[in-house]
Amino acid sequence: MTTQTLGTETDAMVLRRVDAWWRAANYLSVGQIYLLANPLLREPLRPEHIKPRLVGHWGTVPGITLTYAHLNRATMRHGLDAMLVTGPGHGAAALNAAAWLEGTYSELYPEVGQDEAGMAALFRQFSFPGGVPSHASPHVPGSIHEGGELGYSLAHATGAAFDHPGLIVACVIGDGEAETGPLAASWQAPTFLHPWRDGAVLPILHLNGHKIANPTAYSRIPPEALAGILRGHGWDPVEVTGSDPAAVHRAYAAALDECVARIERVRTGSAHGRPMIVLRTPKGWTGPDRVDGHQIEGSWRSHQVPLTGVRENPARLAMLSDWLMSYRPTELFGVDGAPAPALAAWHPGGDRRMSANPITHGTRQRDLRLPDPAAHAITVTAPGQVTAQATSVLGEYLREAVARNDDNLLLFAPDEHASNRLDAVFDVTGRRWQLPVEPQDQHQSPTGRVVEVLSEHLCQGWLEGYLLTGRHGLFSTYEAFAHVVDSMVAQHAKWLHTADTVTWRRPVPSLNYLLTSHVWRQDHNGASHQDPGFIDHILSKRPEVTRVYLPPDANTLLSVADHCLRGRGLVNVIVAGKQPAPQYLTATQAAAHCAQGLGVWEWAGTEHDGDAEVVLACAGDVPTLETLAAVHVLTDLVPDLRVRVVNIVDLTRLFAPERHPHGLPERDYTEVFTPDLPVVFAFHGYPWLIHQLTYDRPGHDNLHVHGFHDQGATTTPFDTCVRNHIDRFHLALAALERIPRVAGRIGHLRQRILDRLAEHDHHIRHTGDDLPAIRDWTWHPA
């Protein structure tokens, strides 16, 4: 760490500058909440100067601006490479103010200049129609964390620190946020952060005592007990407490200097406990003390807008004026509205400004050096004649990918990497781990590229922080438990969509999920592990950023995974099984099929020159297997039946093109599915999703979808399919019942199929296993 001087100024002079900067940031924050005009109070405040709707959160702002001011001082004194993650919700007024004072805001938004007109624009746009929100959305320079949903700030900060040696990621954690489960789990970061290969996370737990209407648990825990909790997780807390600004400034500056020194000792191996700060200052500090006899400063009443009814109540208007004037704005801003000379240059220079750190804007990225998927492909001489575990094959591809990108790619999993058959990567790396290792442990490594922690929230949050700062990753998990992060991925998808409209942000690497151990192969776990609805959740989000892939075999999985890892600005969900299964396509065929997203498998059908009588469509590995087996059932019952088989890899191809950028043009859709033939669709997930995707497609009334109906149990693999009617027999029966020329024989044909189902049920209840004809079935041309 290099050191830059602050000139010849004494510590007292520097702290006076810190205080002035803090006052300026607070003034700008109050102005954003309240003022529509008259930003410099050149005339007495009048009702028309006040916004008609007061929307904002003041209570957390003074702690954020205080922290920002002191981090700037520490950055200049010690030459830090630092960024800031702010966890308290709706704290964007503070961050907007900081970026404006540093000049970054005006550089990126010239219409919000560092003058009176620019200040007025900064104020007007805040929580205003057509403006910017009150939380730290992508419009905020230097931000990677929205703070709309609480609980993920420390996880994002940790993800940003991975593989960023020399970086300090300061993280302000609100004491309300500290009560959430994800934040409580996030204190485990020292177990996974390497002392010198990773950056340092500096948590700043801000205990201002109150949430929106209640006291906070962490603020009422005795200080020694709280320190014990934090030390137990590997942190070494330094406490800063007070309500007198001068005293707090002195204590905060000393605490940050001490933390910077400790971080350096951790990096060099001479210390182990990672420093953090516990900051105790009043909620709504420097705001109104009492209003109408109620305590405001230091209470929950300062959480949002401390003074309401300002337009209508002259006394409240006068209180707002006094509040703003208490910051002595004439000392802080020149006659033109620009920061006074003493403040204008008082911030780190260039990219050292936290609001301009390029890693927070996605401008420092490196493409992955990925292997050729074909080099890891299964050799397929004929469809269905080879058996393989798709995720095991992917594991070999990932092994080479990890070896080629040992500081730019991380794999996250909640204790399931080996269970999900991706363990080939352990040939070249280990599991990230900083705690002691015992003889029976396997593949634990301080610098491992696999990050396993039994918390989906942490896997998601760490990966998001890693991606948002320009690196690449994959999150693999059991399909049913991806729902744990439903709201997190929703927030991330919104961030990506909004960030795409911010011209100075570069699209960041895509968020990639591999959902395996899926719904159709949970015969030993049963209903608790059966829920394919994560894909429904994803496809309810913005179509510009969401994709879902259902590769039917190993080679298509390789092609899809390679495509997703190369992507930017998307949320990609891949669903693939880990059990042995038939393989259908060569590497070349798989690449072509995945590029198209869906297609007719002529080798699997029995039509000739497009004269099909029924279309069997499938999406997902087990539905594909059962669809192909249904072709055998059909041709056994009706040898001359003409069947078309369609396989879908990219589920979004089913959308109409005006509803999703991957949507198949209507002419192509009709050519594949036909406008008038019955379509029996075997789908991996809940059947209504296919109807939602295709309700406006030609021939939708002919579409009959079989999927998961929440009929789960501890039973055989095939019986799970039977219970949900996606098995070969129910698919064949559904097809026969819709083919006019067999209507006269349908009773006989139905009975033959029902007899097969009865035979199956009798066999599993007596043997505990599927019929050999089912279990050992292999594809052959019909």
Side-chain angles (χ1 to χ4, degrees):
M1 231 180 282
T2 61
T3 300
Q4 70 182 64
T5 66
L6 293 174
T8 59
E9 295 182 344
T10 65
D11 288 345
M13 295 168 64
V14 168
L15 292 183
R16 282 196 292 272
R17 284 185 181 261
V18 169
D19 183 72
W21 195 98
W22 180 49
R23 287 186 284 117
N26 287 339
Y27 179 90
L28 295 170
S29 299
V30 178
Q32 290 175 75
I33 296 171
Y34 283 95
L35 296 185
L36 193 60
N38 192 17
L40 291 170
L41 306 185
R42 295 189 187 278
E43 56 181 304
L45 276 181
R46 299 194 302 271
E48 59 266 30
H49 297 153
I50 308 302
K51 293 180 178 181
R53 295 175 64 250
L54 299 178
V55 183
H57 289 63
W58 164 250
T60 190
V61 163
I64 295 174
T65 53
L66 179 78
T67 297
Y68 209 112
H70 279 274
L71 286 170
N72 274 352
R73 183 205 66 85
T75 296
M76 288 187 285
R77 179 173 294 279
H78 302 288
L80 306 179
D81 180 12
M83 59 175 283
L84 177 63
V85 173
T86 53
H90 299 278
L95 300 177
N96 293 336
W100 190 85
L101 285 171
E102 291 185 328
T104 313
Y105 209 102
S106 300
E107 292 167 11
L108 298 174
Y109 302 103
E111 69 276 14
V112 187
Q114 282 191 310
D115 53 24
E116 184 174 6
M119 188 186 297
L122 181 74
F123 290 0
R124 183 185 183 88
Q125 68 178 5
F126 182 78
S127 288
F128 201 79
V132 299
S134 64
H135 44 83
S137 62
H139 81 276
V140 177
S143 177
I144 66 164
H145 176 82
E146 185 134 356
E149 181 180 352
L150 300 179
Y152 312 119
S153 59
L154 187 52
H156 283 162
T158 302
F162 283 132
D163 291 330
H164 261 144
L167 178 69
I168 291 181
V169 187
C171 180
V172 179
I173 301 161
D175 47 357
E177 181 183 27
E179 296 177 0
T180 66
L183 200 287
S186 294
W187 293 118
Q188 299 173 78
T191 299
F192 299 90
L193 285 168
H194 191 271
W196 55 265
R197 282 201 52 160
D198 297 326
V201 175
L202 179 61
I204 300 163
L205 177 58
H206 185 208
L207 304 180
N208 62 30
H210 302 274
K211 306 188 286 288
I212 192 170
N214 284 285
T216 56
Y218 271 57
S219 68
R220 302 290 173 90
I221 295 174
E224 64 276 9
L226 177 59
I229 292 170
L230 297 171
R231 288 193 182 100
H233 285 297
W235 301 101
D236 192 1
V238 179
E239 182 137 346
V240 176
T241 301
S243 58
D244 173 63
V248 171
H249 285 318
R250 290 192 297 271
Y252 209 167
L256 273 175
D257 287 344
E258 180 180 349
C259 288
V260 170
R262 291 189 189 181
I263 286 170
E264 187 63 21
R265 291 198 294 271
V266 170
R267 284 175 176 159
T268 58
S270 58
H272 299 288
R274 292 179 180 259
M276 66 165 293
I277 291 173
V278 176
L279 174 66
R280 298 178 189 267
T281 59
K283 192 176 186 76
W285 196 17
T286 73
D289 181 42
R290 298 180 69 84
V291 177
D292 295 339
H294 295 297
Q295 185 65 41
I296 303 298
E297 184 185 58
S299 85
W300 55 268
R301 291 186 175 88
S302 67
H303 183 84
Q304 292 177 305
V305 180
L307 294 173
T308 58
V310 177
R311 272 194 165 201
E312 300 78 22
N313 187 326
R316 297 281 178 89
L317 186 65
M319 292 179 72
L320 174 61
S321 179
D322 291 344
W323 180 10
L324 287 164
M325 294 302 292
S326 73
Y327 297 117
R328 308 195 296 280
T330 56
E331 299 177 10
L332 307 174
F333 306 104
V335 293
D336 60 352
L343 290 183
W346 203 84
H347 56 71
D351 290 352
R352 294 285 184 179
R353 295 172 295 177
M354 290 188 296
S355 60
N357 193 319
I359 68 169
T360 65
H361 300 163
T363 55
R364 284 187 183 168
Q365 297 183 32
R366 287 179 288 122
D367 291 340
L368 289 173
R369 299 181 294 274
L370 292 174
D372 180 1
H376 296 274
I378 293 291
T379 299
V380 176
T381 55
Q385 302 307 298
V386 176
T387 297
Q389 295 171 299
T391 55
S392 291
V393 176
L394 177 63
E396 295 174 2
Y397 167 89
L398 292 174
R399 175 180 59 200
E400 186 175 350
V402 165
R404 292 182 177 203
N405 301 274
D406 65 352
D407 63 350
N408 195 27
L409 174 64
L410 285 176
L411 308 178
F412 295 84
D415 193 37
E416 293 155 358
H417 205 74
S419 172
N420 288 333
R421 310 294 193 265
L422 301 174
D423 46 314
V425 298
F426 294 131
D427 293 343
V428 297
T429 190
R431 298 179 174 96
R432 182 71 68 97
W433 188 253
Q434 310 303 325
L435 294 178
V437 176
E438 297 181 356
Q440 69 272 23
D441 295 336
Q442 287 188 319
H443 309 301
Q444 307 302 130
S445 167
T447 59
R449 308 307 298 166
V450 175
V451 185
E452 286 193 320
V453 59
L454 197 49
S455 165
E456 287 83 359
H457 286 123
L458 290 189
C459 289
Q460 174 83 17
W462 290 349
L463 177 55
E464 285 182 0
Y466 197 67
L467 300 174
L468 289 164
T469 49
R471 283 76 56 75
H472 307 257
L474 176 72
F475 178 8
S476 64
T477 186
Y478 282 22
E479 180 183 48
F481 306 129
H483 280 299
V484 174
V485 299
D486 272 1
S487 61
M488 293 184 74
V489 67
Q491 296 293 326
H492 187 76
K494 292 174 184 178
W495 176 281
L496 292 178
H497 177 251
T498 305
D500 190 51
T501 68
V502 179
T503 57
W504 44 267
R505 285 192 181 271
R506 182 180 169 191
V508 297
S510 296
L511 171 57
N512 301 309
Y513 293 95
L514 173 64
L515 307 187
T516 186
S517 298
H518 61 52
V519 59
W520 299 111
R521 288 296 181 261
Q522 290 299 333
D523 38 290
H524 64 298
N525 287 316
S528 67
H529 284 52
Q530 292 179 319
D531 186 345
F534 190 70
I535 56 180
D536 300 58
H537 177 64
I538 293 298
L539 290 182
S540 71
K541 308 310 168 195
R542 294 294 309 193
E544 295 89 344
V545 300
T546 51
R547 307 288 186 268
V548 171
Y549 299 97
L550 296 162
D553 66 359
N555 289 344
T556 50
L557 174 58
L558 284 173
S559 182
V560 165
D562 181 79
H563 169 76
C564 293
L565 285 170
R566 296 179 189 274
R568 295 289 195 282
L570 299 173
V571 176
N572 297 309
V573 178
I574 308 168
V575 185
K578 66 182 184 181
Q579 302 297 342
Q583 305 299 303
Y584 310 111
L585 303 182
T586 67
T588 300
Q589 292 168 338
H593 185 50
C594 292
Q596 188 65 28
L598 59 76
V600 176
W601 279 3
E602 294 181 0
W603 55 266
T606 59
E607 63 174 322
H608 305 285
D609 300 323
D611 62 346
E613 297 173 273
V614 65
V615 176
L616 299 186
C618 50
D621 50 9
V622 170
T624 296
L625 184 154
E626 291 304 314
T627 296
L628 295 178
V631 174
H632 280 186
V633 174
L634 286 169
T635 54
D636 179 57
L637 295 171
V638 184
D640 63 342
L641 194 65
R642 301 186 301 277
V643 182
R644 172 178 295 181
V645 176
V646 177
N647 182 263
I648 297 94
V649 177
D650 179 354
L651 204 58
T652 61
R653 295 292 272 165
L654 297 177
F655 277 110
E658 61 270 18
R659 294 172 57 212
H660 196 285
H662 278 203
L664 197 65
E666 187 165 305
R667 184 183 65 181
D668 297 340
Y669 181 92
T670 304
E671 183 176 331
V672 170
F673 291 99
T674 82
D676 49 14
L677 290 181
V679 179
V680 178
F681 197 132
F683 177 50
H684 175 86
Y686 294 108
W688 46 80
L689 177 60
I690 299 301
H691 288 293
Q692 290 172 353
L693 302 186
T694 61
Y695 75 91
D696 52 354
R697 288 296 203 175
H700 177 258
D701 289 347
N702 300 320
L703 182 62
H704 310 279
V705 186
H706 291 238
F708 186 64
H709 288 278
D710 208 18
Q711 294 294 324
T714 301
T715 186
T716 68
F718 183 69
D719 193 54
T720 299
C721 297
V722 172
R723 286 168 176 264
N724 291 277
H725 291 192
I726 73 148
D727 63 283
R728 61 201 69 183
F729 300 121
H730 281 102
L731 296 176
L733 180 58
L736 290 170
E737 289 176 335
R738 291 169 174 83
I739 298 172
R741 77 176 176 95
V742 301
R745 296 184 286 154
I746 191 61
H748 170 69
L749 296 172
R750 180 185 295 113
Q751 189 59 53
R752 290 182 62 182
I753 288 175
L754 293 177
D755 288 345
R756 297 289 299 274
L757 287 168
E759 180 188 10
H760 150 76
D761 187 66
H762 176 80
H763 184 84
I764 65 169
R765 292 181 183 279
H766 284 78
T767 69
D769 198 3
D770 287 321
L771 285 159
I774 301 294
R775 185 191 61 218
D776 304 329
W777 177 88
T778 58
W779 167 259
H780 60 77

